[in-house]
């Protein structure tokens, strides 16, 4: 055996011996995937993708021109069941005193509170924001979905929008509750279609009042959610 071959043989024996002495990796803490052995399940809480978009970042602390923020939620219904708001009681997420300084710094002229609720809750939302600051806040009303299983709901809802208009509401907001969560018995039964005829009176009155109506498209998650992959897979 030549000196060179002998040296290579000794180096290979040393590598094999060193490798066998290393501790074996412990996979006991890994989650078993229902998709089969050899595959890992990645929980959403563990999903930390690396952005592949590399562009300059420009931070704009203040708008050059006055802004109307058409999409804010300064209040929400205090109670909901399976995604459907129940009752008129509202929960307020901010106060005018806390929001106005931010609006002034960012040059936001007007905020539109889309989720103003209905009935007494709407009246309170208008009194808190719009009434003391009519040039800074506008309030939209919402349908009373928790009454949608009652007879003659169409007339009831049309009357509610008429009352909301007199109370100061400036438009109608339809959340994706309609199409994703509202069911025949409010929170149970079959999903109610967005073109259900019981809502015709509501749409007709909104047109007559020239009410701006904002409708959140009820697209189900499976239509737009990307498959979750690991960070390593993104790198590869």
């Amino acid at each position: 055996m030549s000196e060179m071959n002998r040296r290579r043989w000794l180096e290979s024996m040393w590598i094999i011996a060193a490798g066998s002495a290393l501790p074996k990796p412990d996979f006991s803490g890994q989650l078993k995937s229902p998709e089969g052995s050899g595959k890992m399940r990645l929980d959403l809480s563990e999903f930390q993708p690396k952005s592949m978009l590399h562009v300059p970042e420009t931070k704009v602390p203040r708008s050059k021109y006055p802004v109307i923020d058409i999409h804010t939620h300064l209040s929400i219904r205090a109670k909901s069941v399976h995604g459907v708001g129940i009752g008129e009681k509202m929960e307020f997420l901010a106060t005018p005193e806390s929001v106005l300084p931010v609006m002034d710094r960012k040059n936001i002229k007007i905020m539109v509170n889309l989720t103003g609720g209905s009935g007494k809750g709407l009246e309170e939302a208008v009194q808190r924001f719009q009434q003391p600051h009519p040039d800074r806040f506008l309030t939209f009303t919402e349908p009373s979905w928790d009454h949608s299983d009652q007879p003659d709901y169409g007339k009831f809802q049309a009357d509610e929008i008429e009352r909301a208009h007199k109370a100061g509401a400036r438009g109608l907001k339809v959340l994706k509750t309609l199409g994703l969560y509202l069911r025949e018995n409010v929170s149970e039964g079959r999903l109610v279609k967005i073109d259900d005829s019981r809502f015709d009176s509501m749409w007709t009155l909104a047109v007559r009042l020239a009410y701006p109506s904002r409708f959140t498209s009820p697209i189900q998650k499976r239509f737009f959610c990307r498959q979750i992959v690991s960070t390593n897979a993104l790198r590869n």
Side-chain angles (χ1 to χ4, degrees), residues 24-32 40:
K24 294 183 179 180
D26 181 15
F27 297 104
S28 60
Q30 293 183 347
L31 299 173
K32 293 183 179 180
M40 288 294 297

Side-chain angles (χ1 to χ4, degrees), residues 48-194:
Q48 298 180 346
K50 299 293 184 181
S51 174
M52 295 182 288
L53 181 64
H54 301 284
V55 295
E57 180 182 6
T58 303
K59 294 185 178 180
V60 183
R62 178 179 171 84
S63 173
K64 183 177 181 179
Y65 302 102
V67 172
I68 297 177
D69 190 344
I70 186 65
H71 193 151
T72 67
H73 300 284
L74 300 174
S75 56
I76 58 174
R77 293 193 188 266
K79 180 181 179 181
S80 65
V81 176
H82 302 309
V84 181
I86 304 295
E88 297 180 353
K89 187 177 180 180
M90 301 297 290
E91 177 182 346
F92 293 92
L93 308 179
T95 64
E97 292 74 23
S98 64
V99 174
L100 283 169
V102 178
M103 295 172 66
D104 292 338
R105 288 200 305 270
K106 302 298 181 181
N107 201 16
I108 300 174
K109 177 65 176 175
I110 298 174
M111 271 191 175
V112 180
N113 181 19
L114 293 176
T115 44
S118 60
K120 295 294 184 182
L122 171 70
E123 293 175 7
E124 187 177 359
V126 170
Q127 290 168 4
R128 283 195 178 213
F129 292 95
Q130 185 174 307
Q131 188 170 310
H133 307 283
D135 57 338
R136 306 302 302 273
F137 297 102
L138 300 178
T139 309
F140 276 32
T141 186
E142 302 173 81
S144 300
W145 301 126
D146 53 343
H147 291 267
S148 61
D149 61 339
Q150 296 181 4
D152 206 14
Y153 169 75
K155 183 180 184 306
F156 165 83
Q157 187 57 70
D159 291 342
E160 283 295 297
I161 292 179
E162 187 85 59
R163 281 193 287 269
H165 178 65
K166 293 178 180 178
R170 299 298 185 85
L172 173 67
K173 170 61 178 176
V174 178
L175 293 168
K176 55 181 172 287
T177 301
L178 179 59
L180 280 185
Y181 304 113
L182 183 64
R183 297 181 177 273
E184 288 295 338
N185 296 315
V186 182
S187 60
E188 297 179 351
R190 298 185 64 179
L191 280 173
V192 174
K193 296 181 179 180
I194 61 175

Side-chain angles (χ1 to χ4, degrees), residues 8-28:
R8 288 179 178 174
W9 179 81
L10 289 173
E11 288 175 352
S12 63
M13 291 297 101
W14 180 87
I15 292 173
I16 293 173
S20 61
L22 292 174
K24 294 183 179 180
D26 181 15
F27 297 104
S28 60

Side-chain angles (χ1 to χ4, degrees), residues 216-230:
T216 302
S217 178
I219 301 175
Q220 296 192 29
K221 291 181 179 180
R222 66 172 178 270
F223 296 144
F224 59 82
C225 281
R226 297 176 58 188
Q227 182 179 4
I228 296 177
V229 293
S230 68

